[in-house]
Amino acid sequence: MVFPEYRPRRMRQNENFRAMIRETRLAPEQLVYPLFVMPGKGKKEEVPSMPGVFRLSVDQLKQEAKDCLEVGVRSVILFGLPEKKDAVGSGAHAKNGIVQQAIKELKNTAPDIMVITDVCLCEYTDHGHCGCLAGKEVDNDATLELLAKTALSHAQAGADMVAPSDMMDGRVSEIRSTLDENDFHNVPIMSYAVKYASAFYGPFRDAADCAPQFGDRCSYQMDPANSREALREATLDVDEGADILMVKPAVAYLDIISRLRDEFDLPIAAYHVSGEYAMIKAAAARGWIDEQRVMAETLLSIRRAGADIILTYFAKDMARMLRG
């Protein structure tokens, strides 16, 4: 296949040709829209560092779910902002906690939406770490029971899937056992299997009010320099019962998504995180880039790397674009 006998431009000459041989495609149902839920009524507060993203009171969720379904986005993931925080994040598993209320609201008013819940303690602890503490260190094993209680409370409230994001060793096994023991065999676990200690989380921590009050999360989230370790982390979660493996962040770790896709036959998810979103928004606001084209190219790159599912704040915008 050499020029002039082979001319690749033949198949690029118009959109009909390009569409016919397009290798990678995006669809609205592959997208998951994150929602931040706060106490109160009638509240909708834009996150300053994330234009177009809002903190919502529970009564505002029905309209958000309707908007998602209208453009073909079938799944949301919930993050909660509790009224009170304490050292052990007890609000995370409270029967009438903010996420538990949100789950019930969505399942009652928008039963066709898939409700995924983030399972972590950082939004609920007064110190901002993802587990309970022993001195200044996160106590891995003591945290496992709290995470399992949180996942169970979400399932009891009606969640369709739970997604542990804490990066504690052994948490998938603990959650799976607890769900099964309580007859929630059919609630899948989407594990944040490979979550890096990334600088791209800043706007999220503003949105969820969950920045650590001291130190950092490098002792439990992964070192950005490591890729082989990602395979070990994912293998552990597969062995413990994960149904879906997630990589977070997405764009800075396309190589990791690709490695997991080659290694495992489970569905792969990727979280296009707040910092990745905010950079596109900021550059577009200054007229430096075409927001829609960069959004589409970015999300397509995540799919091309091997992700089956993309969690993104662009979910509704991308779905609208895909629908023309």
Side-chain angles (χ1 to χ4, degrees):
M1 294 172 58
V2 296
F3 177 82
E5 286 77 17
Y6 180 64
R7 293 175 180 261
R9 288 184 58 189
R10 287 177 185 142
M11 298 306 295
R12 302 176 193 152
Q13 58 187 300
N14 60 50
E15 177 56 22
N16 287 336
F17 281 109
R18 292 190 294 271
M20 179 185 292
I21 64 169
R22 190 161 289 143
E23 298 173 18
T24 307
R25 298 178 186 272
L26 277 168
E29 58 268 22
Q30 296 164 330
L31 307 175
V32 178
Y33 189 52
L35 293 173
F36 297 97
V37 191
M38 64 187 300
K41 290 186 177 180
K43 291 186 176 181
K44 185 174 183 178
E45 300 176 356
E46 189 169 30
V47 180
S49 55
M50 300 173 70
V53 174
F54 298 85
R55 301 184 192 95
L56 304 163
S57 54
V58 171
D59 60 305
Q60 301 296 301
L61 294 176
K62 178 181 178 180
Q63 184 60 49
E64 281 295 322
K66 180 182 177 183
D67 293 346
C68 285
L69 290 170
E70 282 181 352
V71 296
V73 175
R74 302 177 185 175
S75 306
V76 298
I77 183 166
L78 296 175
F79 299 91
L81 287 81
E83 288 192 32
K84 296 180 181 179
K85 303 187 180 195
D86 58 33
V88 294
S90 57
H93 55 79
K95 185 175 182 180
N96 199 38
I98 190 67
V99 165
Q100 289 79 0
Q101 293 178 46
I103 297 165
K104 293 173 184 176
E105 175 71 9
L106 284 169
K107 298 314 291 184
N108 287 335
T109 62
D112 292 335
I113 203 89
M114 176 183 285
V115 178
I116 306 167
T117 58
D118 179 78
V119 177
C120 194
L121 302 184
C122 63
E123 298 142 60
Y124 304 90
T125 55
D126 52 16
H127 47 75
H129 280 283
C130 299
C132 55
L133 301 180
K136 292 290 186 178
E137 299 294 327
V138 174
D139 188 330
N140 187 97
D141 293 6
T143 299
L144 297 182
E145 181 182 356
L146 300 177
L147 294 168
K149 287 177 67 175
T150 300
L152 177 60
S153 74
H154 292 175
Q156 290 170 332
D160 297 294
M161 179 157 58
V162 295
S165 64
D166 55 284
M167 288 299 286
M168 297 298 117
D169 296 340
R171 87 273 202 212
V172 173
S173 177
E174 188 79 14
I175 291 170
R176 184 73 272 159
S177 296
T178 299
L179 292 175
D180 290 353
E181 288 165 4
N182 288 274
D183 296 325
F184 290 103
H185 309 277
N186 290 329
V187 174
I189 297 174
M190 178 168 66
S191 169
Y192 288 66
V194 182
K195 182 179 180 181
Y196 285 90
S198 172
F200 285 98
Y201 302 149
F204 175 92
R205 291 174 182 175
D206 291 341
D209 187 26
C210 63
Q213 298 303 300
F214 64 89
D216 54 38
R217 294 173 180 161
C218 293
S219 69
Y220 44 101
Q221 295 177 359
M222 281 183 53
D223 187 334
N226 294 354
S227 61
R228 293 190 298 272
E229 184 184 8
L231 299 181
R232 295 197 295 273
E233 283 280 6
T235 299
L236 286 168
D237 285 3
V238 171
D239 291 344
E240 291 177 20
D243 299 283
I244 298 172
L245 301 172
M246 190 197 298
V247 176
K248 182 181 180 182
V251 178
Y253 298 90
L254 295 178
D255 60 318
I256 305 302
I257 298 170
S258 181
R259 291 197 70 172
L260 262 64
R261 176 70 291 150
D262 290 343
E263 187 74 18
F264 302 100
D265 58 7
L266 289 180
I268 304 296
Y271 202 140
H272 182 232
V273 298
S274 60
E276 295 169 328
Y277 170 88
M279 289 192 300
I280 294 174
K281 282 289 189 178
R286 287 158 178 78
W288 296 341
I289 60 172
D290 180 319
E291 180 177 325
Q292 281 211 327
R293 289 188 64 191
V294 172
M295 168 189 71
E297 188 173 341
T298 299
L299 298 181
L300 192 64
S301 76
I302 299 168
R303 279 281 293 135
R304 193 180 63 244
D308 303 291
I309 303 158
I310 303 174
L311 290 75
T312 176
Y313 305 97
F314 278 125
K316 291 192 295 183
D317 293 339
M318 188 69 241
R320 291 189 191 100
M321 185 176 178
L322 289 169
R323 291 198 160 196

